Amino acid sequence: MLEYSVKQRTYRIEETFLSPYACRSEDSKGRQRQEEPCSMRTDFQRDRDRIIYSKAFLRLKNKTQVFFSPEGDHFRTRMTHTIDVSQIARSIARSLALNEDLAEAIALGHDLGHTPFGHAGERVLNSLAPGGFSHNVQSLRVVDVLEKEGRGLNLTFEVRDGILNHKKSGHPATLEGRAVSLADRIAYVNHDIEDSIRAGLLREEDLPQEDVRVLGGSSRDRINTMISSIYENSAGKDIVAMGEREARSLENLRAFMFGKVYITPLSMKEEERAKRMLSAMYEYFFDHRDKLPAFYRGLCERYPVEQVLCDYLSSMTDKYAIAVFNNIFIPRSWALTQKDVEDI
């Protein structure tokens, strides 16, 4: 009885303190498959825990955010980006009296389906797969199908909806989902700027100065400005949106990063390497399905092989993708050591 009261206490706190526009845990539309509820945790809290302990979440630490195999310990990976998004989303949710547990669960799961080699890998798989490839759709497939040896995590509707619709083009069903969508853009633009400056690709003075004046001269200042703008524009309303001036400056910075960092001769050279590796493995496993790991061979009995190849390749970390490629295409006796490469 004592354990049961813990969850009831959470329900009472939410009823008392959350905005009338927030998604209360007790009002969730539920899971795809019914199951025994937890006596202490709400469904959104359980979803958060399930995501954190998933294999796909653990793999994020070795997936590229922007820079492939960066030299240095302080460049962001897909996992650190995910933690950044979670923190910003929770800050937005807290300021607007939304459900922090729901926002956090969506944020932690939003990139589970991302490919190795960052967005370059996503573009490659999108060009290879007959039905295309999008990491938000794949993230939903990870939690619905691929985790737990094909049983999926059986998450709530609200978390699944937020994961699927976190991209700018999406339309989340909850304000918490909209908070994550904004947090994703705020995080990757600002933190990619930090990493680019650290890598020597940009200087602070290279940034569009009008937008710096609007948002701030440091990552911390810009994030604070944007979260404050969301609060001032959305508090007490059925929306989560940034003020027009700040939103325009964020989009300007995003466009600047595409021109100066994301799509440049240097980045496209790296993308070409990713393309060669992923394309070669896609063709190899299409012709040699018996070489797939047992789990993915089993999936071929239920889904089109093209989908399963996307499942397998997108699940790979950068290092694992390189190792698989080398194992297939580079005979061990011919493989060059790093010293050999430096001597050429």
Side-chain angles (χ1 to χ4, degrees):
M1 194 66 179
L2 177 62
E3 289 183 345
Y4 181 73
S5 70
V6 173
K7 185 166 66 174
Q8 293 302 314
R9 183 180 63 195
T10 302
Y11 288 159
R12 289 196 298 271
I13 291 172
E14 291 183 358
E15 185 61 37
T16 303
F17 294 106
L18 291 189
S19 161
Y21 305 111
C23 181
R24 286 161 173 74
S25 303
E26 197 170 14
D27 296 332
S28 171
K29 294 182 180 179
R31 306 183 184 279
Q32 290 181 300
R33 303 185 303 276
Q34 282 199 332
E35 58 182 66
E36 187 72 23
C38 178
S39 60
M40 298 185 70
R41 294 171 296 165
T42 70
D43 284 346
F44 298 149
Q45 290 169 346
R46 292 184 83 189
D47 284 359
R48 170 195 176 276
D49 295 348
R50 290 179 184 189
I51 290 168
I52 284 178
Y53 292 112
S54 68
K55 291 180 179 178
F57 185 81
L58 294 177
R59 290 194 295 267
L60 295 178
K61 67 180 182 293
N62 288 316
K63 289 192 176 189
T64 288
Q65 172 64 13
V66 174
F67 299 103
F68 298 172
S69 303
E71 295 292 332
D73 293 333
H74 301 114
F75 290 92
R76 285 173 173 84
T77 65
R78 188 61 58 182
M79 178 173 280
T80 54
H81 163 72
T82 293
I83 295 171
D84 290 338
V85 174
S86 175
Q87 178 60 37
I88 294 171
R90 289 180 62 227
S91 295
I92 295 170
R94 188 181 307 119
S95 73
L96 298 177
L98 302 178
N99 193 318
E100 285 187 54
D101 292 330
L102 173 56
E104 184 176 24
I106 295 169
L108 292 173
H110 83 284
D111 270 356
L112 292 180
H114 234 303
T115 62
F117 314 123
H119 287 285
E122 181 172 15
R123 286 190 288 269
V124 173
L125 285 190
N126 187 51
S127 68
L128 291 171
F133 180 93
S134 183
H135 78 271
N136 59 312
V137 176
Q138 188 65 23
S139 294
L140 184 63
R141 182 167 166 81
V142 168
V143 299
D144 279 355
V145 176
L146 301 180
E147 277 294 321
K148 297 290 184 182
E149 301 302 320
R151 299 189 303 276
L153 300 180
N154 196 29
L155 304 182
T156 57
F157 164 82
E158 292 79 9
V159 173
R160 295 174 61 252
D161 170 82
I163 289 172
L164 179 63
N165 288 289
H166 77 267
K167 293 173 69 172
K168 185 181 178 182
S169 58
H171 300 283
T174 65
L175 295 189
E176 290 80 3
R178 297 179 208 178
V180 172
S181 181
L182 270 175
D184 186 31
R185 272 173 278 152
I186 292 171
Y188 78 70
V189 169
N190 284 284
H191 296 142
D192 290 355
I193 288 173
E194 280 190 343
D195 282 356
S196 299
I197 291 172
R198 184 176 290 115
L201 298 179
L202 291 179
R203 300 172 301 169
E204 287 280 1
E205 52 267 36
D206 294 332
L207 299 175
Q209 290 306 298
E210 177 59 30
D211 301 306
V212 168
R213 281 191 288 272
V214 170
L215 298 176
S218 69
S219 178
R220 181 185 64 181
D221 290 342
R222 288 189 287 271
I223 291 172
N224 284 339
T225 296
M226 285 186 273
I227 293 175
S228 297
S229 176
I230 292 169
Y231 171 74
E232 292 165 4
N233 197 60
S234 310
K237 302 176 184 177
D238 189 17
I239 60 170
V240 177
M242 207 178 296
E244 184 177 334
R245 185 177 69 151
E246 292 80 9
R248 183 169 58 249
S249 287
L250 174 60
E251 287 307 307
N252 289 344
L253 285 180
R254 183 173 178 271
F256 170 83
M257 290 296 290
F258 268 94
K260 296 294 184 179
V261 177
Y262 301 148
I263 308 295
T264 65
L266 178 61
S267 65
M268 295 311 292
K269 182 178 180 181
E270 293 297 297
E271 181 163 337
E272 182 59 33
R273 294 176 180 174
K275 182 177 181 179
R276 286 200 297 269
M277 281 192 287
L278 291 174
S279 298
M281 287 191 289
Y282 186 97
E283 293 174 7
Y284 174 83
F285 286 115
F286 189 90
D287 294 333
H288 302 84
R289 297 170 206 183
D290 59 307
K291 300 297 185 182
L292 285 167
F295 172 67
Y296 295 97
R297 292 200 305 272
L299 285 179
C300 287
E301 299 174 5
R302 300 163 53 196
Y303 300 99
V305 64
E306 294 87 353
Q307 174 65 70
V308 176
L309 294 181
C310 286
D311 292 338
Y312 182 42
L313 294 178
S314 66
S315 76
M316 294 179 174
T317 63
D318 295 24
K319 292 178 180 178
Y320 183 75
I322 293 169
V324 171
F325 176 85
N326 287 344
N327 187 58
I328 296 171
F329 296 107
I330 301 180
R332 292 182 182 276
S333 59
W334 295 1
L336 297 177
T337 66
Q338 184 59 39
K339 186 176 185 304
D340 293 328
V341 172
E342 292 170 354
D343 289 342
I344 291 178

